[in-house]
Amino acid sequence: MEDKRIRKTKKMLKDTLISILDEMPFEKVTVTMLCDRTDISRITFYAHYADKYDLVEDIFQDMIKIGTDDYALREKTNNAKGDIVTGFYNVLDSILELYYNQYHFFKHTESNRNPYLSFSYYNHVFAIVEHHTNKESARHKLKYSTRQITSFLCYGLLGFIDGSRSESVSAEQIKESAHRLLGDMLSKRILF
């Protein structure tokens, strides 16, 4: 477990990066800028992170931990029998819940402003859904490969969510619509 001072320094750097993202794209952020705003030395920064990409990856890992904990609770609470559709709903709900509860960070993952953050976000979501699909493949026969199913689900649903968000659809409406779309696909046994 990390020392309290290390956790405090890392939190300051993460909060500062997110704050700077309100002002400029990630590509323009520098380590010097982060150090100046947090009033720490570059030596201290590099004691914790290799570069700004390592820092943002640490933020994503924090988010993944929150989402994973939420998913585990959802599975325990409402999917004791391991229903495949409910399991994917739980993945989707955990991602959406995290996205909107941590919107101060995720609002910066739009591809037109921050392509690197967008790319990282999509890759992390893909990895999470692929992990879940692999888990399901141990219990259900797949009609397609895990990678094909994950790609279809992720890029279709993330595109659907992004498109809805760009049309200013509420988070609750996106969740309801995404549930219907995902439920229709999975309950018709198209993929499994």
Side-chain angles (χ1 to χ4, degrees), residues 52-107:
K52 69 180 185 177
Y53 300 96
D54 193 24
L55 170 60
V56 81
E57 179 59 26
D58 200 22
I59 295 171
F60 275 114
Q61 291 306 312
D62 290 347
M63 300 299 169
I64 289 169
K65 169 82 171 93
I66 294 166
T68 301
D69 290 348
D70 180 58
Y71 165 77
L73 181 61
R74 288 173 190 274
E75 282 290 283
K76 183 179 177 182
T77 304
N78 69 2
N79 197 18
K81 293 182 180 179
D83 176 68
I84 193 167
V85 176
T86 304
F88 277 101
Y89 281 164
N90 287 339
V91 171
L92 174 65
D93 290 348
S94 295
I95 291 168
L96 287 172
E97 189 79 17
L98 177 67
Y99 183 89
Y100 286 104
N101 283 343
Q102 301 294 327
Y103 191 70
H104 67 284
F105 171 68
F106 286 110
K107 69 182 177 183

Side-chain angles (χ1 to χ4, degrees), residues 38-52:
T38 54
D39 198 28
I40 65 166
S41 70
R42 291 173 62 86
I43 293 170
T44 301
F45 178 91
Y46 288 115
H48 303 295
Y49 298 107
D51 52 28
K52 69 180 185 177

